[in-house]
Amino acid sequence: MKDELYQGKIKQYDPAKGFGFIGCAEGDVFFHISDFPVAEGEPKRNERVKFNVVENGDKYKAIKIERVEDNSKKAKKTKVATHNKSITSALLNNFRG
């Protein structure tokens, strides 16, 4: 685990403590919120990310974490359902008003 870009999903995050773990093929990797792009909001469970790693004692720490758009079938279905719901709501509001 070095000098490569890894991909994984947020496995857990504790906002009170400011750290969490990313699950990836190589195993769970620790991350601190200071290495996460918080301008886009706090990390959410199962959110996809890409990152670099550095040694942190005898383990590894994720750094330079970036969010990755989820293009899985499940994510696409959720996006379509959300979009359809907003269209339906707009149409219903037009009929009511």
Side-chain angles (χ1 to χ4, degrees):
M1 276 191 120
K2 291 238 182 185
D3 299 336
E4 293 181 43
L5 203 55
Y6 295 91
Q7 288 199 18
K9 288 183 183 179
I10 301 297
K11 192 168 183 177
Q12 69 183 60
Y13 171 67
D14 185 338
K17 295 180 180 176
F19 69 85
F21 294 90
I22 299 170
C24 65
E26 292 78 9
D28 293 351
V29 181
F30 171 85
F31 77 91
H32 189 269
I33 192 64
S34 62
D35 294 306
F36 204 88
V38 290
E40 302 167 24
E42 289 191 329
K44 294 177 183 69
R45 185 172 167 79
N46 291 325
E47 183 174 27
R48 293 180 185 272
V49 293
K50 61 183 177 180
F51 56 95
N52 292 90
V53 295
V54 292
E55 287 189 36
N56 187 27
D58 60 340
K59 300 196 179 200
Y60 293 97
K61 176 184 175 187
I63 60 168
K64 299 179 184 173
I65 303 168
E66 297 176 36
R67 287 179 160 92
V68 176
E69 186 174 348
D70 189 348
N71 291 321
S72 67
K73 286 183 181 181
K74 183 177 180 181
K76 287 180 183 176
K77 272 181 138 178
T78 302
K79 286 178 189 173
V80 168
T82 302
H83 181 69
N84 288 346
K85 186 176 180 182
S86 67
I87 290 172
T88 302
S89 294
L91 288 171
L92 289 173
N93 285 337
N94 286 340
F95 284 125
R96 290 182 191 137

